[in-house]
Amino acid sequence: METKSKSGGVFLLLIGGLLCLSGAVFCALMWGSFSNAMEMRSWTEVEAEIISAEVVDRKIGDAVPTEYAAKVSYGYFFNGQAYTSDKIDYRGTKWSKEKAKAEELGAEFSSVATHPAWVNPEKPSEAVLKLPTKAAIYSIWFPGLFFIGGLGIVAAAGRKLISS
């Protein structure tokens, strides 16, 4: 009497499950990014006065090259109250090893006296000068393929294990 090994089917179940899980995680992350971008588009737009725009640097250690970032401070009024902020976008300060990138971003704000800012109406001390991109929704299909492919592998391996 011949016994068939089920280890191949179990291996495929694990591989399919991991593909499915990784696809689901990345889809969720991309959906979260898109949702955040859409929510911020409902924030109140106000005119912000640029107080200062400069390039700052930091050096974490001897083996790490110097990094640069644009630091912009601005003030705005919301519901009759004055606020200040230094967030350019919702992710915070972007550090770069290339000073030119930081200078370019800083120059964008140092050359103007005012700039539109978007204020969170639920927390007026939170404001940004740039809204996030909605691009994540256009790429969500790629991790979706991993999710669907993983489901297909799990289904095929499950049928094979059940039938043997």
Side-chain angles (χ1 to χ4, degrees):
M1 188 162 167
E2 184 181 323
T3 60
K4 291 186 176 181
S5 172
K6 294 186 178 192
S7 60
V10 171
F11 179 73
L12 284 176
L13 276 174
L14 288 173
I15 293 295
L18 286 174
L19 281 173
C20 193
L21 178 65
S22 64
V25 166
F26 280 99
C27 280
L29 289 171
M30 292 177 105
W31 182 259
S33 179
F34 172 71
S35 304
N36 187 32
M38 290 305 293
E39 177 192 336
M40 289 180 77
R41 278 167 171 61
S42 69
W43 287 10
T44 306
E45 184 177 344
V46 298
E47 198 65 29
E49 183 178 331
I50 305 298
I51 300 168
S52 68
E54 61 185 340
V55 174
V56 294
D57 62 11
R58 71 177 179 187
K59 187 153 178 73
I60 297 173
D62 294 336
V64 179
T66 303
E67 295 180 313
Y68 304 93
K71 182 177 181 188
V72 178
S73 296
Y74 55 95
Y76 58 94
F77 285 94
F78 186 77
N79 289 339
Q81 193 167 3
Y83 295 93
T84 60
S85 182
D86 60 359
K87 287 182 80 173
I88 294 174
D89 64 20
Y90 79 103
R91 289 194 173 121
T93 305
K94 293 181 183 176
W95 293 91
S96 173
K97 292 177 179 72
E98 298 175 32
K99 190 174 184 178
K101 282 186 179 180
E103 288 173 340
E104 182 181 322
L105 184 59
E108 181 180 335
F109 298 106
S110 65
S111 64
V112 295
T114 61
H115 192 277
W118 287 266
V119 180
N120 183 350
E122 295 171 9
K123 187 179 175 189
S125 61
E126 186 178 10
V128 295
L129 293 174
K130 288 186 168 189
L131 290 173
T133 178
K134 299 182 288 184
I137 198 67
Y138 304 118
S139 303
I140 202 167
W141 64 269
F142 188 69
L145 289 177
F146 282 82
F147 177 76
I148 292 168
L151 281 179
I153 293 170
V154 167
R159 276 195 310 270
K160 185 175 181 181
L161 284 173
I162 291 171
S163 68
S164 61

